[in-house]
Amino acid sequence: MAFLQRIGAIGGAVALVFVAMALALLWLLRPHYDAAEVQRTVITTIQREAPASFYVTGTLDITVTEEVERTEQLFPTLFALLREAQPSWPGINQATARATVRVPGRVAYGFDVSQLRAEQIRVRPDGLIEVSLPALAVYSAESYLGQLEVKTEATGWMQLFGSQEQAAEREALRGVRDALRRQGQVRLDTATQPRVNTAKALEKLLRPVLVAAGVSNPRFRFEIGDELVMLPTPRG
């Protein structure tokens, strides 16, 4: 009986030794990521895809409406004298030309790569790669003038001079690009989807490069500005 107990004790000790060896082997075989190498790989890859130092990660389709109103007076000095002499004199010298343009366009957005620093890329002990990105900004704005809608109107004596309406229309058209950029930036500051698109674009860009560098099945967490932290679902 004592002999059997001794054999059982020895077997248990051997089993513990094997478990300890297995755990040690798993520890040695766990993924080892060099944080500095991951940082260099991430920054170099993004910079290579952004030759103009701005990495475009998505687009927004926006329709803007721009209105310009031009109000002028005909012979203002003369009519001012008349109004002083007769306050009830109607303001027939004042006229208005108004132009309203409505046009769809596309805004490209992303972030300035020059603002990305190595310390914004961290590798956690479990291998999760955290990337903190600058806030998103508008890169370019393009209007589809082929789908332009224009409405012009004039009051008073300006009805006799169509050039005033045309001038208002030209001024409104000049403001379309800026209006697209302004509205696009508002969307970027308030909407979630552009950040989601950016995280997905970066995951798609960085994953194969890091795998080639020896990081098996890299997992990411992207922090974009101060608004959103996204952890894309890792692929099997």
Side-chain angles (χ1 to χ4, degrees):
M1 187 69 176
F3 176 76
L4 292 176
Q5 290 177 342
R6 190 177 298 112
I7 292 296
I10 293 173
V14 171
L16 288 175
V17 170
F18 275 109
V19 170
M21 291 176 61
L23 291 175
L25 182 61
L26 289 174
W27 173 258
L28 292 174
L29 293 177
R30 78 192 192 282
H32 289 278
Y33 305 143
D34 181 77
E37 182 62 29
V38 170
Q39 290 170 344
R40 285 193 296 270
T41 301
V42 170
I43 292 178
T44 300
T45 302
I46 295 176
Q47 288 178 339
R48 185 173 63 245
E49 294 296 318
S53 82
F54 197 98
Y55 181 48
V56 175
T57 58
T59 58
L60 295 171
D61 290 321
I62 297 173
T63 298
V64 297
T65 301
E66 189 77 356
E67 182 176 283
V68 169
E69 182 175 287
R70 300 166 62 93
T71 300
E72 296 183 11
Q73 290 185 332
L74 186 65
F75 306 122
T77 303
L78 173 61
F79 277 88
L81 294 173
L82 292 174
R83 291 294 295 274
E84 287 182 8
Q86 181 55 260
S88 61
W89 185 275
I92 58 174
N93 67 315
Q94 183 169 299
T96 299
R98 182 182 297 106
T100 303
V101 298
R102 186 175 184 271
V103 61
R106 174 164 292 181
V107 169
Y109 63 84
F111 61 91
D112 188 350
V113 176
S114 66
Q115 297 182 21
L116 189 61
R117 302 287 183 266
E119 57 268 22
Q120 295 171 256
I121 303 163
R122 301 171 295 278
V123 181
R124 291 189 357 186
D126 62 356
L128 183 68
I129 300 170
E130 297 179 326
V131 184
S132 297
L133 298 173
L136 298 180
V138 171
Y139 176 65
S140 64
E142 177 187 0
S143 57
Y144 301 145
L145 294 180
Q147 302 177 44
L148 174 68
E149 299 177 14
V150 181
K151 179 182 178 182
T152 59
E153 58 181 324
T155 63
W157 54 265
M158 279 194 184
Q159 297 179 67
L160 304 176
F161 303 95
S163 60
Q164 295 298 323
E165 296 175 63
Q166 295 171 5
E169 179 182 334
R170 288 193 297 271
E171 186 175 345
L173 285 172
R174 285 195 296 270
V176 164
R177 187 180 298 272
D178 287 341
L180 280 170
R181 296 184 71 92
R182 286 194 306 270
Q183 191 164 321
Q185 190 61 54
V186 170
R187 288 273 295 276
L188 294 178
D189 293 339
T190 57
T192 298
Q193 194 59 45
R195 296 179 178 84
V196 173
N197 293 343
T198 297
K200 289 181 177 179
L202 284 172
E203 182 190 23
K204 183 178 180 180
L205 172 69
L206 296 174
R207 176 178 291 277
V209 178
L210 288 172
V211 168
V215 181
S216 60
N217 193 27
R219 296 177 298 117
F220 303 91
R221 187 165 89 178
F222 297 103
E223 181 178 347
I224 304 173
D226 299 325
E227 302 292 331
L228 173 74
V229 175
M230 180 187 177
L231 179 62
T233 302
R235 301 175 186 177

